[in-house]
Amino acid sequence: MSFKNMTITPGWEKYMTKEYVDLVERGPYGKQKKVSEMGSFKEVLEEHPMCAGCAMTLFIRLTMVGLPNPEHTILIGTAGCGRLALTQTSIPFIYGNYGDTNAVASGLKRGLEVRFKDQAKDVVVMAGDGGLADIGFSAVMHSWFRKERFTTIMLDNEVYGNTGGQESGMTERGALLKMAPKGKLFDKMDMIGLAQTSGVAYIARLTPTNPTRVASVVRKAVMIAREVGPTFIQAYTSCNIEYAIPTPKVLDDAREIESKRYGFMEIISDEAKAYLDSIDTSKKAKK
Amino acid sequence: MSDSAGVKDVQAGKAPEVKGTPESELSAGDRQKVVTPEYMFFEAPRERAFITGSEAAKEAIRRSNVDVAISYPITPQSETMQQVGSLWAEGYVKEYFRGEEEIGVMSAIAGSSRAGARSMTATAGPGLMRGMEVIASWPGGRIPAVLLIMCRVVNAPLAIQPDNVELAYLLNSGLILLHGENQQDFFDYTMKAFIISERPEVTLPVAVAVDGFFVTHARGYVNIPSKDIKLPPRDPYAEAVPAMDNENPPARLSRDAPIQKSNFISYQVHASWQQEVWAANERARRYINKYMGGLIEVVNPEAETILIASGSAVSQSREAVRQAEEEHNTKIGLIKVRSIRPFPTPELREACKHAKRIIVPEFNYMGWLHREIVTALYGHSKAEIVPGPRVYGGMSMPTEMILQTIFPNKKFVF
Ligand SMILES: Cc1ncc(C[n+]2csc(CCOP(=O)(O)OP(=O)(O)O)c2C)c(N)n1
Ligand code: SF4
């Protein structure tokens, strides 16, 4: 329905911008695009004002490729760097107050379910570590306990990037940052453990070092949220500015952190696993 | 724009079509007949019930075709949202849950309203304060929704008693604020709030406030139409901003103005956005006039002394007006302010033309209504505008207190 809405009325093509025509003709709608195809289709992410070389940007770009159904997806973000790119996608994006994402998403998803009985609408939250683990903590936890059916993606740069480099709950102990002049005094919050405790159906921890994996994790998370329950992706997306990582070294840093303490990890509930297997077999059966 | 733009012209008595659902599986809400707002408000036969304000709110919600209701307990509001929960269990409301706390609830309302669903919640005092960051952002988000407020003391010290100081915090937020006098108002204003909120040229949240306990927990006579009828559903495609359901071309991707740069264009965008919110607030006048009989009600317009009040203070003032006439042979005027935002500035200027003395009884310490009236009448009236009488912290207002202000030379005991 929405893809139909965006197609251009015949005769009007020449009045539309090139970007829009590209989006309609060569966008990812209705066909799951692969990371290996990047460059050969029009991505939903447009030009954006995030810092050059920022790992978060790369991660967001890969996330957009992973979305299984962008024409029926609604993104929710909040204050923080990520929104600078998320507002530049051709996907409706909601920005409310800092830290409100998971409460807004709960209402949005339920409202959409009331209105669209026969069309799944995917709701995806993408917000910073401060936005989700600090100010939005209660909303995040309760959305998980209530088993709200949407995906939460934490863009974990381990710092408040957008306000200029203060410590967050997700910062490593000892890190010297603004508002932590003696180094952070307590451990990085264990959001993965909390997600497990609250019964999140699919949990993944990763870095952007393996682009195909990012897209596939996102796809799984969104599909499981649609059919089973809440899903959570915690992604290391370094802030090269605040952690003084030279731009060409951003991926080296990600690889190093990945090998030391941010290894790829997936925790899938039995129900979610059964669901993934079922779509796998139905796909194979089609072939 | 035509008068009925955005409101479906549904014929009274016509059953809604629910495609493919067998009769036995229809919910109680599905079985209700959709009627026009006009029929619901003015024509439908009504029966008199003797109910509390909380029950009046429940009956209004039952007939309002509500999609999503989100609750969180706080005295004296809890009873209302509990009863709305029963409506969900009975099938009159489509979706309902208890949120984690008020910031979460108000944010979830922002979400469900953006989904295009007719949404409502209710709160009081400290709950309103807690949800304030979010509530104050609804108008800018052009969120149509209804917020019921059962006023109580704002901490500290802790108290649960009636006091409507909390409404002062809403005056500059951009939302539409109606203040009901009694159970009947609570019933009527609540239903009308949905329709006003969703008008395309309004597209703003509407708060309906009443004074806690006096209205919520006390019984009063309420005339209500049959529970077999309900208002037309929300049409999110006939509003000022698109619903966030991804059924719109992505040219309008970010509904909330992406103002994240510091340059003159972004200042201009924000400035005009604010102007538009307040212009939309003013445009609600037309529907407050149409559906609610005006922003004010005037009793004894020729009187030289006029009481101006809102909420429960109106009931007490009515009684003072009656006693002044019957026991003291003096005709006193009364203006009931139904709408606090938009504020009835031109209406008050007109209605107070002959006034020599204006008295503003209030249920709060700092006298927000008095300030509003002084601002509205400055340079337009020579009347003395008396600040008070006022009660607060849970006190009730004896009519003698109002009479004492009307007749300073007489002695009243209270
Ligand atoms: C209620 C409120 N408090 C504080 C802020 C200020 N603020 C804006 S962005 C931000 C930090 C964002 O950090 P994070 O969520 O980790 O995202 P990042 O910028 O690092 O991606 C803060 C504190 C705000 N906008 N609203
Ligand atoms: S401040 Fe850090 S996280 Fe934010 S855009 Fe720049 S590099 Fe990325």
Side-chain angles (χ1 to χ4, degrees), chain B residues 73-77 123-129 150-166 212-213 392-395:
Chain B
I74 185 167
T75 307
Q77 170 277 118
T123 191
L128 183 80
M129 293 298 111
M150 291 71 164
C151 301
R152 73 172 251 193
V153 160
V154 169
N155 299 342
L158 168 76
I160 57 165
Q161 307 305 335
D163 179 318
N164 60 34
V165 70
E166 67 194 85
F213 296 103
Y392 28 87
M395 293 155 68

Side-chain angles (χ1 to χ4, degrees), chain B residues 375-390:
Chain B
T375 304
L377 296 185
Y378 184 77
H380 294 264
S381 167
K382 293 203 169 65
E384 176 199 7
I385 307 175
V386 182
R390 290 179 198 154

Side-chain angles (χ1 to χ4, degrees), chain A residues 202-230:
Chain A
Y202 174 82
I203 305 164
R205 185 182 72 184
L206 78 177
T207 75
T209 53
N210 181 339
T212 309
R213 184 192 279 157
V214 174
S216 116
V217 159
V218 168
R219 178 162 185 274
K220 280 187 259 184
V222 174
M223 300 289 288
I224 292 170
R226 198 189 283 168
E227 298 295 334
V228 183

Side-chain angles (χ1 to χ4, degrees), chain A residues 50 56 78-83 95 97-99 127-132 134-135 155-164 166 168 237 239, chain B residues 133:
Chain A
M50 287 179 75
M56 193 186 288
T78 192
C81 289
R83 76 175 204 283
Y95 176 103
N97 296 293
Y98 187 38
D129 45 301
L132 294 173
D134 291 342
I135 192 168
L155 303 164
D156 181 16
N157 57 4
E158 309 190 315
V159 68
Y160 285 110
N162 203 217
T163 36
Q166 300 82 13
S168 88
T237 55
C239 174
Chain B
E133 182 199 2

Side-chain angles (χ1 to χ4, degrees), chain B residues 245-267:
Chain B
D245 56 6
N246 209 340
E247 295 290 324
N248 295 288
R252 299 151 100 187
L253 34 160
S254 185
R255 157 176 165 170
D256 308 282
I259 300 158
Q260 38 203 345
K261 302 206 172 80
S262 295
N263 60 36
F264 285 104
I265 294 171
S266 71
Y267 308 154

